[in-house]
Amino acid sequence: MTKEEVWELLEPIKDKIDDIYMNSDNEVVISFKPHNLAPISIYIFRDLDCELATVVCTDEREKDDTFKIKYVYSYHKKNIFFVLQIEVKERFVSLSNNIPALNWYEREIHDMFGLVPLNHPDLRPLMKYPENFPQDEYPLRKDYPWDKRPKFMKYGEYEYKKVKGEGVFNILVGPIHAGIIEPGHFRFHLAGEPILQLEIRHFWKHRGIEKLAEGKTPEEVLQYTDKISGDHSFAHTLAYVQAIEKLSNTEIPERAKHLRVIFAELERIMCNLNDFAWLFQDVGYTFGAQGVFILKEDLMRLNKALSGSRFNKGVLTLGGVNIDLDNEKIAMLKHKLNEIEEKYKEYANILHNNASILERLETTGRIKYETVKDLSAVGYTARASGLSSDIRKEHPYLVYDRLKFDSIVLKEGDVYARLRVRLSDLENSISIVRQCLANLPDGEIKTDLGEIKKNSWTLGYAEGQRGDIIHYVQTDEEGKIFRWKVRDPSFHNWQTIQFAVLGNIIADFPLVNKSLNLSYAGNDL
């Protein structure tokens, strides 16, 4: 898109903009005076109908004694990211009341950088627990040592929300759960059976992944990318390597592009089978659940045979892929996909024609369109409630613009709708793999990385099974990592669960939770 075409989109707020420039082919940076941040943001989010992609704060006090905050909005219709940047000393104006999707980002910036979002509606700690972390220390500031471990002691109290009224009581779930799921705290307020309010508290699994990347080479950061969220190890690594390849103007071989798509879609199939099985389990249909779990296991064994890893870890590298598919592996992949598809259809047919199962799924856990829009929800959570969201189509990468696949959007917004979107995705992933195999070109599978641009930044992204994944990478004067900001789809989607359960009974919470099946580790970083 040309600069002139971008100006046409921004015509209604042209008087509030000083200038625009292209950071890359689809990254448009808007320059403006600080007091115009709110009207420009609201126009882009509401009037242009963009979605919030990510918000990035950087500590650049060594350069000019300021922090920088970048607000990144995705404009789906034209494959553009609008980037608004402000300079901050100590405080900045909160936009959460106008754009609710910013709420957690502003709290994160307050926790990690010590900057105060003025007039924020809920400035309780998000990631730093006052029960065991000093509130006057800010881990993502450059002068904070990566290996500092504060004394483990009580520094304060976290104030939970309160609901008062006759007959109102609380049920507390987690953060330690039965089984092997990750830690998260759910605080229910009820009057009788219906849920009046759910308050979630996460970030128990915060590992400081972004901090660990500072000062490292792009190659060294690869050791962290597949550990962000276990079941999305490939998608997160893909988003990262594509950012580095943009910063180095590296064009990977065509065969490598097709192979990346194949392995990305195998990860989506695995995750969708897993979610399908767990929803069967949570409605009490154990026979069906175990049958679908077997299909997931078959796929993971296929992954192991193809790449040496059940999660396809180590497949990706900067400049291409490490693993090729010979004729024997291709034949194995085609055969196993045919088997999985045939058996999967039997279980999908049971799902769609069993009144007892549908009674549990339909109308349960509804999320309204207005909610997913306000929170910039992504993936199947958004598409089940009427909001289009698939970065493979909206900001195409690799060879997705040459492939035929649907990305269905439903309106019901309930557990069944979210499952239907997943099953459609699963079928499309199988089709995409077959298309890539049918058109797999000969040639190399990797190329040398070009020189990394110094003092530069860009976005890398990929569509994970839960939704789009955004990686912001900024280099320093040596071409090493100055700032790495990771945004997992769960960081947006976790906030929707607090609306999904309202009016439902507590017994349906496991179903609602599994219908979203969000990542704790990916969210917590």
Side-chain angles (χ1 to χ4, degrees):
M1 195 172 188
T2 67
K3 194 172 180 180
E4 290 72 25
E5 291 173 316
V6 174
W7 272 117
E8 288 181 18
L9 287 174
L10 301 174
E11 179 66 31
I13 53 169
K14 199 172 183 178
D15 61 323
K16 303 184 186 306
I17 296 173
D18 295 335
D19 198 7
I20 63 172
Y21 71 89
M22 307 296 290
N23 186 64
S24 72
D25 290 342
N26 68 344
E27 296 166 357
V28 179
V29 180
I30 301 175
S31 300
F32 55 92
K33 294 178 177 58
H35 64 271
N36 284 323
L37 173 65
I40 295 173
S41 297
I42 292 168
Y43 172 79
I44 289 174
F45 185 75
R46 298 293 181 189
D47 298 300
L48 274 187
D49 200 26
C50 294
E51 308 304 329
L52 181 68
T54 190
V55 180
V56 184
C57 185
T58 54
D59 180 358
E60 304 190 24
R61 290 174 296 166
E62 288 188 5
K63 297 178 183 178
D64 55 15
D65 200 34
T66 65
F67 296 87
K68 305 286 194 305
I69 300 177
K70 291 183 178 74
Y71 302 80
V72 184
Y73 295 92
S74 169
Y75 185 50
H76 301 339
K77 299 173 185 176
K78 295 289 185 179
N79 184 18
I80 279 181
F81 292 96
F82 289 109
V83 183
L84 312 182
Q85 178 175 289
I86 59 172
E87 295 183 349
V88 179
K89 293 274 191 175
E90 297 177 352
R91 302 174 183 84
F92 62 102
V93 176
S94 170
L95 300 180
S96 293
N97 288 310
N98 294 303
I99 303 175
L102 287 168
N103 188 312
W104 274 20
Y105 285 105
E106 292 177 348
R107 291 173 66 186
E108 176 191 33
I109 290 170
H110 182 243
D111 278 4
M112 293 294 157
F113 292 90
L115 305 178
V116 181
L118 299 173
N119 300 315
H120 191 282
D122 179 13
L123 204 52
R124 293 176 299 165
L126 181 71
M127 306 172 89
K128 289 193 314 186
Y129 282 22
E131 294 92 335
N132 55 36
F133 200 96
Q135 296 300 288
D136 57 353
E137 294 188 12
Y138 309 106
L140 285 182
R141 288 190 175 191
K142 289 297 181 182
D143 53 7
Y144 193 90
W146 71 269
D147 57 351
K148 181 176 181 180
R149 186 181 291 271
K151 184 178 180 181
F152 191 82
M153 57 177 283
K154 188 172 184 178
Y155 294 90
E157 292 278 355
Y158 183 83
E159 186 176 341
Y160 288 97
K161 294 179 180 178
K162 294 180 174 61
V163 177
K164 297 181 179 179
E166 185 177 352
V168 174
F169 63 97
N170 300 334
I171 296 179
L172 311 183
V173 179
I176 306 302
H177 302 274
I180 59 172
I181 67 172
E182 296 172 303
H185 181 53
F186 302 87
R187 183 170 288 242
F188 298 89
H189 302 272
L190 305 94
E193 287 283 339
I195 299 170
L196 301 177
Q197 178 179 275
L198 167 61
E199 181 178 2
I200 63 173
R201 193 181 182 198
H202 287 340
F203 303 96
W204 306 87
K205 203 179 178 71
H206 179 71
R207 294 152 289 164
I209 282 180
E210 294 174 345
K211 186 73 174 181
L212 290 173
E214 292 180 3
K216 289 186 169 54
T217 65
E219 292 82 3
E220 288 174 329
V221 175
L222 278 174
Q223 66 184 304
Y224 304 126
T225 57
D226 62 6
K227 300 174 180 66
I228 293 169
S229 178
D231 59 1
H232 279 50
S233 59
F234 190 91
H236 268 289
T237 304
L238 180 58
Y240 172 76
V241 297
Q242 291 190 131
I244 299 301
E245 287 158 2
K246 283 172 68 177
L247 284 172
S248 59
N249 291 320
T250 301
E251 181 72 17
I252 70 170
E254 281 295 307
R255 186 174 180 87
K257 291 180 182 178
H258 284 74
L259 291 170
R260 283 183 174 186
V261 170
I262 289 170
F263 283 107
E265 296 304 318
L266 288 176
E267 182 174 82
R268 290 172 65 83
I269 296 170
M270 177 191 73
C271 292
N272 279 318
L273 286 171
N274 178 72
D275 291 0
F276 186 15
W278 274 112
L279 282 166
F280 264 163
Q281 181 76 21
D282 282 349
V283 297
Y285 185 46
T286 305
F287 173 79
Q290 296 308 310
V292 181
F293 277 131
I294 289 171
L295 300 184
K296 178 198 172 187
E297 175 64 22
D298 286 345
L299 188 72
M300 296 186 75
R301 292 184 182 187
L302 172 65
N303 289 342
K304 176 75 172 178
L306 297 178
S307 71
S309 166
R310 287 166 60 85
F311 289 92
N312 289 326
K313 293 185 177 184
V315 170
L316 286 164
T317 188
L318 297 175
V321 294
N322 291 317
I323 302 295
D324 203 353
L325 297 180
D326 57 23
N327 290 335
E328 182 180 351
K329 287 184 176 180
I330 289 173
M332 180 196 311
L333 174 54
K334 289 179 178 179
H335 175 71
K336 184 55 67 175
L337 275 186
N338 290 339
E339 279 189 353
I340 290 173
E341 181 182 40
E342 181 182 357
K343 294 177 183 177
Y344 148 77
K345 286 182 177 179
E346 294 177 7
Y347 292 108
N349 185 58
I350 292 171
L351 166 74
H352 297 309
N353 293 282
N354 188 301
S356 297
I357 295 174
L358 295 180
E359 186 179 13
R360 293 291 310 279
L361 306 182
E362 291 179 323
T363 74
T364 300
R366 275 186 166 160
I367 305 174
K368 296 179 180 179
Y369 170 83
E370 292 77 13
T371 300
V372 295
K373 170 61 183 172
D374 281 348
L375 296 174
S376 284
V378 296
Y380 52 75
T381 300
R383 289 192 281 129
S385 295
L387 180 65
S388 177
S389 175
D390 190 334
I391 209 165
R392 298 172 300 174
K393 287 183 172 290
E394 293 149 0
H395 304 286
Y397 54 96
L398 297 176
V399 297
Y400 280 110
D401 56 344
R402 307 178 215 166
L403 302 172
K404 294 181 180 179
F405 63 98
D406 296 322
S407 187
I408 67 167
V409 177
L410 305 176
K411 295 182 179 180
E412 292 83 355
D414 56 12
V415 171
Y416 186 43
R418 289 188 283 277
L419 180 53
R420 286 161 59 201
V421 170
R422 281 184 176 90
L423 299 186
S424 174
D425 284 354
L426 191 158
E427 293 164 14
N428 276 287
S429 290
I430 293 174
S431 172
I432 288 171
V433 171
R434 287 172 175 156
Q435 290 177 61
C436 286
L437 290 174
N439 296 285
L440 186 62
D442 295 328
E444 299 298 319
I445 61 171
K446 67 176 74 173
T447 188
D448 292 335
L449 201 67
E451 183 179 357
I452 303 286
K453 293 178 187 176
K454 300 174 176 63
N455 293 316
S456 300
W457 62 269
T458 196
L459 301 172
Y461 41 86
E463 184 73 11
Q465 180 255 0
R466 295 184 180 94
D468 60 57
I469 292 168
I470 309 288
H471 283 224
Y472 169 96
V473 179
Q474 181 174 343
T475 57
D476 62 17
E477 63 278 359
E478 298 179 13
K480 295 181 178 180
I481 303 301
F482 179 80
R483 177 78 168 101
W484 178 38
K485 168 62 181 172
V486 177
R487 199 274 286 151
D488 186 89
S490 298
F491 191 77
H492 283 201
N493 289 351
W494 264 122
Q495 298 170 73
T496 67
I497 197 171
Q498 297 172 115
F499 297 89
V501 300
L502 298 180
N504 287 257
I505 61 174
I506 192 74
D508 279 338
F509 173 69
L511 266 182
V512 178
N513 192 19
K514 274 296 187 299
S515 76
L516 295 165
N517 196 27
L518 302 170
S519 172
Y520 297 84
N523 177 76
D524 298 0
L525 297 178

